[in-house]
């Protein structure tokens, strides 16, 4: 019999953005494993569970702890903020579990920051778009730069994850310089801070002004394309319907 | 006082993939507006509502009907499958409502097919990725082709929406030809049919074999990048963590 580990996307944080499937699985499991900050977000809703927490950058350890726990017969769920499959724990969990044929991984999708952020800004992602993380901890900056350039040149809407951290000062400025080679400075940009959490805030700016905005690791940025416009204060990328 | 119209992403279809926020709003509203197929998916869960249905390609009419209804004082929710903000009704709703200063639009995010499909396939979207629709009803094929080329050249994982319909025979084949200029034919590809609905099915193939697969408007395709691999039958794009 296989030991199943669920990797559950909890959405941006509050229970109202979680799916029924995610809540049902967390309610049914014995043990919940995750990064400290995300455990604290959900603990009030599931107070009776065994919790295992690890710090950031301890992703591989976290997977091994989940596997150990599952193999003792305890049902285990690993949580990930947003969607576990989008810059989340799902990938590394499959990789670590590859050495354990008695363990099976099942992913439960959640609302990723691109989607929860877009809903607050209006409808900026209604046409083709890219997700690009500006963190070069795991991806070389040259690859990130190439993707930014390709996305801007092909007029994709671009959603930036991890736009800044203490160790990555200047990445957003470099990203803006690359995109401005292909896109106009007056293209609308939406910045969302702390989606679905305390301190949630949205700001609308332009690509030309983006590099002077204050952002951190809890910010999500959506850069429009040549068609994106502002309607009644909301950011909208028309898909091309004829209105009359 | 403003009349609020909610544009609600219901996820792939079954109630378990809906968020609590989406369900609460649909439960609280008087009238639900949508495309026939999606109304039939949710009607069993909210039997007491007034329903307004229109056919496909009647998106602008649907928005006007929602506005008329809201302005009579009835609380109205427009539904969209997946995420209303990703190839959904959110954008056109803002555009049509722009003529009505007494109407305000609020978007409620849902699980889009890229995310619900990825969860079934494994973890193919864990790194940077693009969403591209192959429908040229609203976007010229030249723009679609340019985006496919850019995405493949920059080694993005690519999720294809609307890969085929009766009117779009051959689009998937042309897309594969473009991507094969930059990516190897052995790159893993996942095809998901009818996510979260009756007939749900996943298939794993390769980019070289994708053009001979049978797909339709209910299929979602995820084309890996140069790093994507198959682990225990699942499709995984490693993000770059060191395992040892």
């Amino acid at each position: 019999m296989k030991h199943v580990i669920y990797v559950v996307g909890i959405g941006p944080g509050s229970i109202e953005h979680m799916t029924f499937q995610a809540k049902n699985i967390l309610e049914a499991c014995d043990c919940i494993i995750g990064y400290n900050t995300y455990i604290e977000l959900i603990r009030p809703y599931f107070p009776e569970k065994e919790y295992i927490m690890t710090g950031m950058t301890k992703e591989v350890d976290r997977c091994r702890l989940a596997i150990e726990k599952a193999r003792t017969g305890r049902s285990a769920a690993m949580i990930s903020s947003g969607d576990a499959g989008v810059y989340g724990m799902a990938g590394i969990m499959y990789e670590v579990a590859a050495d354990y044929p008695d363990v099976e991984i099942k992913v439960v999708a959640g609302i990723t920051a691109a989607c929860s952020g877009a809903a607050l800004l209006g409808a900026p992602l209604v046409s083709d778009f890219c997700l690009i993380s500006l963190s070069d901890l795991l991806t070389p900056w040259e690859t990130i730069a190439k993707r930014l350039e390709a996305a801007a040149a092909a007029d994709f809407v671009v959603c930036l994850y991890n736009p800044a951290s203490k160790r990555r000062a200047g990445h957003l400025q470099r990203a803006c310089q690359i995109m401005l080679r292909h896109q106009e400075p007056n293209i609308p940009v939406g910045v969302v801070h702390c989606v679905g959490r305390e301190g949630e805030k949205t700001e609308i700016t332009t690509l030309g002004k983006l590099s002077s905005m204050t952002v951190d690791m809890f910010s999500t940025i959506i850069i429009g394309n040549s068609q994106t416009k502002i309607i009644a204060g909301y950011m909208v990328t028309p898909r091309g319907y004829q209105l009359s």
Side-chain angles (χ1 to χ4, degrees), chain A:
Chain A
M1 201 199 71
K2 289 226 178 191
H3 303 287
V4 174
I5 299 175
Y6 289 95
V7 190
V8 179
I10 61 168
S14 77
I15 197 101
E16 70 168 350
H17 296 108
M18 206 181 280
T19 67
F20 285 83
Q21 187 187 24
K23 179 160 175 274
N24 291 342
I25 284 171
L26 293 180
E27 262 171 2
C29 72
D30 300 316
C31 173
I32 300 178
I33 299 111
Y35 169 49
N36 306 342
T37 307
Y38 305 140
I39 292 285
E40 296 309 334
L41 283 173
I42 64 151
R43 195 202 278 266
Y45 305 115
F46 310 97
E48 302 303 319
K49 302 293 168 186
E50 178 187 356
Y51 281 99
I52 300 178
M53 297 186 265
T54 70
M56 201 157 51
T57 77
K58 295 291 180 195
E59 290 81 4
V60 175
D61 295 349
R62 212 178 295 152
C63 293
R64 293 198 200 284
L65 287 169
I67 289 168
E68 277 170 29
K69 189 54 70 174
R71 296 179 89 205
T72 66
R74 301 272 286 169
S75 58
M78 160 90 73
I79 58 164
S80 210
S81 77
D83 185 333
V86 178
Y87 305 112
M89 293 296 296
I92 186 66
M93 194 68 236
Y94 276 106
E95 288 187 272
V96 176
D99 296 333
Y100 301 87
D102 58 335
V103 171
E104 180 164 7
I105 307 303
K106 285 189 188 291
V107 179
V108 176
I111 306 279
T112 186
C115 295
S116 50
L120 295 176
L121 291 168
L125 301 181
V126 170
S127 186
D128 303 329
F129 67 96
C130 299
L131 270 61
I132 302 176
S133 167
L134 293 191
S135 168
D136 62 354
L137 286 178
L138 301 168
T139 304
W141 178 259
E142 295 67 38
T143 304
I144 299 169
K146 189 177 175 185
R147 288 176 179 163
L148 289 165
E149 184 105 40
D155 201 27
F156 278 101
V157 172
V158 175
C159 181
L160 299 178
Y161 280 58
N162 307 306
S165 78
K166 284 173 192 159
R167 283 177 290 193
R168 287 195 302 279
H171 281 209
L172 180 60
Q173 287 69 24
R174 289 156 76 189
C176 290
Q177 282 168 12
I178 293 168
M179 296 204 64
L180 281 165
R181 289 181 207 149
H182 302 277
Q183 296 285 30
E184 296 296 326
N186 63 352
I187 275 184
V189 170
V191 182
V192 186
H193 305 278
C194 299
V195 188
R197 300 185 200 167
E198 211 181 314
E200 178 181 279
K201 191 174 77 162
T202 62
E203 296 173 284
I204 302 270
T205 182
T206 62
L207 181 55
K209 292 180 181 155
L210 176 58
S211 62
S212 60
M213 302 285 286
T214 303
V215 299
D216 60 26
M217 59 180 287
F218 298 110
S219 311
T220 305
I221 297 173
I222 298 179
I223 301 169
N225 71 4
S226 65
Q227 305 304 305
T228 306
K229 56 189 177 183
I230 303 296
I231 299 177
Y234 289 98
M235 183 178 171
V236 178
T237 306
R239 208 176 153 199
Y241 293 106
Q242 292 300 315
L243 285 192
S244 53

